[in-house]
Amino acid sequence: MKRTLPQCEFMSSSSRKKKTILFLAANPKNSTQLRLDQEVKEIDAGLQRSQKRDKFQLEKMSAITPRDLQRAMLDYKPQIVHFSGHGVGEEGLVLEDITGQATFVRGEALAKLFRFFAEKCKIECVVLNACYSEVQANAIAQHVPFVIGMNQAIGDGAAREFAVGFYDALGAGESIEFAYENGCISISLHGIPEDLTPVIKRQSEAIVEPEPELSPQPVIVGESRKLEPVKVATPAASISRPMLDLDEPEGQVPLESALYVDRPPIEARCYEAIVKPGALIRIKAPRQMGKSSLMLRILNHAIEQNYQTSSLNFQLVDRESLSSLDLFLQWFCNSITWELNLDDRLADYWKGTFSPKNKCTNYFQRYLLPELQRPVVLCLDEVDQVFEYPTIATDFFGMLRAWHEDAKIKPIWKNLRLVIVHSKEVYIPLNINQSPFNVGVPIELPQLTQPQVMDLVQRHGLNWSEATIEQLMAMVGGHPYLVRAALYQIARDEVTLEQLLELSPTEGGLYGEHLRRHLLNLEGDEKLMAAMKQVIAVEQSVSINTSEAFKLTSMGLVLFQGSKVVPSCNLYRQYFRERLGVGA
């Protein structure tokens, strides 16, 4: 198994005062299941037998949410923090939300957390025992003496051996650097070729990001917000506006958040559809348009109906499982079984000369569905990942279509309700009668309307006129993420609207990372690049090749106007004109 989500943090050193090791684990329902219980069990056993066992106190918490993480730091004030689970590089570490699903925490947020607690708790070391966690290690190392992360994917066994070797050395009274080396050696001694994956970061070598220059603090004058310089003598004398408790504009909008904006009649249509026997809902929209947030609300509505629910993110499937249809469907069945909290009986059904599709279907029809005896909502997120493997995709999606059709004639299949979520157009060659993408209830998420943006502005505590809202929308349109990212920074007084609009279409602006991702995708496809140049070269809508038009729409870069397309917002027009050297 590969660790493909959250991260882990460790720390320890010998001193006369007992040190607290805080072991935090997260293994969301919709992620590959890891043996984290075995990891902490072996760490505990090693510390109990160590010479310096009286120097350490091990505290353990599992199914960690972002709130749990913060509260654990407050409650335990640890000197050694260990967070174990999955990691996905730049996207961050994966914790759990209130429903047990995956939620991402980026390196910047973790760096802020440890900057705040580093001195208070005397934190010595953080170990991020998760795939690709070197990114977060670099950020945290600005504030903590030692941080250990992983420079690539790491197997569950290798991660466990590193942790045991690391803590065995600490328990023996050795230094953190010695313990790090001992952990790497432990991986090697067990015949696992991953001993170069853990990397140690030292605060003394970290590149410290400069603190931002002080800017004028805002004072609210009457009903408007006017930026005026405020002289600050001491914290007690400062004049400030109360800071709103706003969600970060990343990932799923939590169920309890006040920042989710309904887009009627979409939500009502989904809630109505999901309670129908054999339902199939198809949600398609570009990245960061709110697909996962809508999916979360469909799941919650199903839970309110006393349905069983299961959510599976296909970004979590490893390459080995995608090497054949048989392995892929075994991964699929195992993941759903775990999600449904049922016993794994795959071996009982995965035998004989039947095809993998038949085995998978039998497993659902003869075990999973009868065992639950009530409706089951199965959400399949990011199924785009399977499009890259046409042979698997053809059989897998054909099987889902067959299940949907079986619900019309077989009572047991009426209990299965499918929600399929994807971003890309479906280009794989599927027989029209074997595709799930031309049946069921299609949902395409549109951009936010001006009244919806107005509503979101007010929820951020801003008192804007229609003209001000039009200024923002003239740059970013009604793209949910682009709008929320702007309002988040403005509401927190980190930037003014004028400053944001001036820098938006540049590498140094708020949307720099978002724009660079799109640029890299275009640079990897000459036809797409040429088509995008056509679109931004003129002010009016333009006709381009149909295939490129649908691909650019899937990326969220263009919108259809009839059979022609235009940039989906001026942000893209301005940025790509400058970067691609295209004049008006």
Side-chain angles (χ1 to χ4, degrees):
M1 290 185 181
K2 291 293 183 181
R3 298 194 170 202
T4 324
L5 279 146
Q7 60 182 355
C8 312
E9 307 168 355
F10 274 33
M11 107 142 236
S12 125
S13 72
S14 53
S15 71
R16 295 179 180 177
K17 183 180 178 181
K18 179 176 286 192
K19 297 179 184 295
T20 298
I21 301 172
L22 178 59
F23 183 97
L24 303 172
N27 203 171
K29 295 177 181 178
N30 54 339
S31 68
T32 302
Q33 296 304 301
L34 307 171
R35 298 184 64 193
L36 304 184
D37 54 343
Q38 183 66 24
E39 181 174 327
V40 70
K41 179 180 178 181
E42 293 187 24
I43 289 171
D44 195 7
L47 289 173
Q48 290 298 325
R49 60 163 296 281
S50 68
Q51 298 175 10
K52 306 291 183 180
R53 56 183 174 273
D54 59 332
K55 300 294 184 182
F56 298 99
Q57 175 68 37
L58 180 62
E59 302 289 350
K60 297 161 278 189
M61 294 184 67
S62 60
I64 289 295
T65 67
R67 182 172 294 154
D68 292 335
L69 171 59
Q70 196 169 12
R71 287 176 174 173
M73 298 297 291
L74 288 167
D75 292 344
Y76 294 110
K77 296 179 175 56
Q79 291 72 58
I80 303 175
V81 182
H82 180 118
F83 192 100
S84 193
H86 292 285
V88 286
E90 293 289 349
E91 294 296 323
L93 303 177
V94 181
L95 306 188
E96 301 186 20
D97 65 16
I98 58 173
T99 66
Q101 305 301 312
T103 184
F104 294 81
V105 178
R106 295 176 67 88
E108 296 90 334
L110 292 168
K112 289 179 182 178
L113 176 77
F114 284 101
R115 179 179 64 186
F116 183 68
F117 282 100
E119 181 60 30
K120 187 177 185 64
C121 301
K122 305 298 181 185
I123 298 175
E124 301 168 18
C125 176
V126 172
V127 177
L128 311 179
N129 204 13
C131 295
Y132 306 109
S133 54
E134 184 178 13
V135 176
Q136 291 76 40
N138 284 328
I140 296 171
Q142 298 179 37
H143 314 295
V144 174
F146 297 97
V147 184
I148 296 168
M150 305 298 157
N151 60 19
Q152 60 184 350
I154 185 167
D156 196 29
R160 189 165 56 252
E161 291 306 331
F162 175 82
V164 174
F166 181 79
Y167 284 106
D168 278 356
L170 290 181
E174 301 294 346
S175 68
I176 288 170
E177 290 176 296
F178 183 97
Y180 159 75
E181 295 292 348
N182 197 59
C184 295
I185 292 170
S186 182
I187 295 175
S188 184
L189 286 175
H190 283 80
I192 305 173
E194 299 180 53
D195 55 301
L196 299 180
T197 299
V199 290
I200 188 168
K201 305 293 179 178
R202 299 167 179 82
Q203 186 178 17
S204 59
E205 301 170 356
I207 300 175
V208 180
E209 296 291 337
E211 292 290 334
E213 294 183 6
L214 293 176
S215 57
Q217 298 186 19
V219 174
I220 299 177
V221 181
E223 293 297 319
S224 65
R225 298 178 72 245
K226 179 180 178 184
L227 194 65
E228 297 182 348
V230 176
K231 294 182 180 179
V232 181
T234 66
S238 64
I239 302 175
S240 62
R241 177 174 57 81
M243 185 67 71
L244 295 173
D245 184 16
L246 299 174
D247 301 320
E248 293 273 357
E250 293 281 351
Q252 289 181 339
V253 181
L255 289 173
E256 67 274 15
S257 173
L259 299 182
Y260 181 81
V261 177
D262 284 343
R263 283 176 269 192
I266 287 174
E267 287 79 8
R269 191 180 180 196
C270 291
Y271 300 156
E272 179 184 351
I274 204 65
V275 298
K276 294 181 178 179
L280 191 156
I281 300 174
R282 297 180 283 115
I283 303 174
K284 183 174 83 70
R287 285 187 61 183
Q288 299 178 310
M289 284 290 289
K291 300 186 300 298
S292 295
S293 297
L294 174 60
M295 184 187 79
L296 183 62
R297 281 150 182 82
I298 296 172
L299 284 170
N300 185 63
H301 183 73
I303 292 171
E304 291 175 347
Q305 314 308 311
N306 197 32
Y307 292 177
Q308 185 75 38
T309 63
S310 173
S311 177
L312 185 60
N313 189 323
F314 281 70
Q315 286 187 336
L316 303 179
V317 60
D318 55 81
R319 288 187 177 276
E320 182 181 354
S321 295
L322 286 165
S323 61
S324 72
L325 178 65
D326 188 83
L327 289 176
F328 173 75
L329 291 181
Q330 287 190 55
W331 169 83
F332 177 70
C333 290
N334 276 323
S335 300
I336 300 301
T337 303
W338 181 273
E339 275 275 301
L340 296 174
N341 198 30
L342 295 175
D343 293 334
D344 180 4
R345 292 183 54 190
L346 192 62
D348 296 338
Y349 294 87
W350 220 268
K351 53 190 176 183
T353 58
F354 293 109
S355 71
K357 285 196 301 182
N358 285 336
K359 292 174 182 177
C360 182
T361 299
N362 285 337
Y363 189 67
F364 271 75
Q365 182 172 292
R366 299 185 179 184
Y367 173 50
L368 294 185
L369 296 177
E371 187 75 14
L372 295 168
Q373 297 184 339
R374 56 175 167 155
V376 181
V377 175
L378 177 55
C379 287
L380 308 180
D381 197 10
E382 302 282 1
V383 299
D384 312 65
Q385 301 297 316
V386 189
F387 294 170
E388 307 299 325
Y389 301 83
T391 302
I392 292 176
T394 300
D395 285 329
F396 176 63
F397 292 120
M399 181 184 71
L400 296 183
R401 170 65 181 269
W403 291 358
H404 175 65
E405 297 298 332
D406 280 347
K408 299 174 183 178
I409 56 176
K410 298 179 180 179
I412 191 64
W413 287 102
K414 294 181 185 295
N415 277 345
L416 182 65
R417 324 288 165 89
L418 292 172
V419 180
I420 301 176
V421 184
H422 62 110
S423 301
K424 299 177 183 177
E425 293 294 332
V426 183
Y427 291 104
I428 51 178
L430 293 175
N431 184 301
I432 190 172
N433 296 316
Q434 297 177 350
S435 171
F437 298 104
N438 56 4
V439 293
V441 178
I443 299 293
E444 292 203 28
L445 296 182
Q447 294 200 356
L448 300 176
T449 64
Q450 184 168 332
Q452 289 166 345
V453 173
M454 170 88 69
D455 183 16
L456 197 53
V457 166
Q458 293 171 350
R459 297 187 194 196
H460 280 77
L462 301 174
N463 183 25
W464 282 8
S465 66
E466 286 189 19
T468 304
I469 292 173
E470 288 171 358
Q471 277 186 277
L472 176 62
M473 294 188 71
M475 177 61 74
V476 302
H479 190 295
Y481 165 73
L482 300 180
V483 170
R484 279 197 61 203
L487 296 180
Y488 179 80
Q489 290 216 344
I490 293 171
R492 292 169 58 86
D493 300 319
E494 295 177 6
V495 68
T496 66
L497 176 60
E498 292 74 19
Q499 293 168 336
L500 183 140
L501 294 177
E502 181 181 356
L503 293 175
S504 285
T506 69
E507 296 282 357
L510 171 63
Y511 306 118
E513 183 177 341
H514 174 88
L515 294 168
R516 284 191 295 275
R517 174 173 59 81
H518 280 306
L519 180 61
L520 287 172
N521 288 332
L522 289 177
E523 289 175 341
D525 190 319
E526 292 183 4
K527 291 183 178 179
L528 272 187
M529 175 75 79
M532 191 63 188
K533 286 182 178 180
Q534 280 183 261
V535 175
I536 61 177
V538 294
E539 295 297 330
Q540 66 274 17
S541 59
V542 62
S543 293
I544 60 174
N545 181 277
T546 301
S547 177
E548 276 66 55
F550 277 104
K551 287 180 180 178
L552 290 173
T553 303
S554 296
M555 294 169 66
L557 292 178
V558 305
L559 297 173
F560 274 105
Q561 288 188 351
S563 59
K564 298 182 179 181
V565 296
V566 295
S568 56
C569 61
N570 276 326
L571 175 70
Y572 297 146
R573 187 193 299 276
Q574 293 181 29
Y575 174 77
F576 287 113
R577 274 183 175 177
E578 192 276 328
R579 292 294 305 187
L580 304 181
V582 177

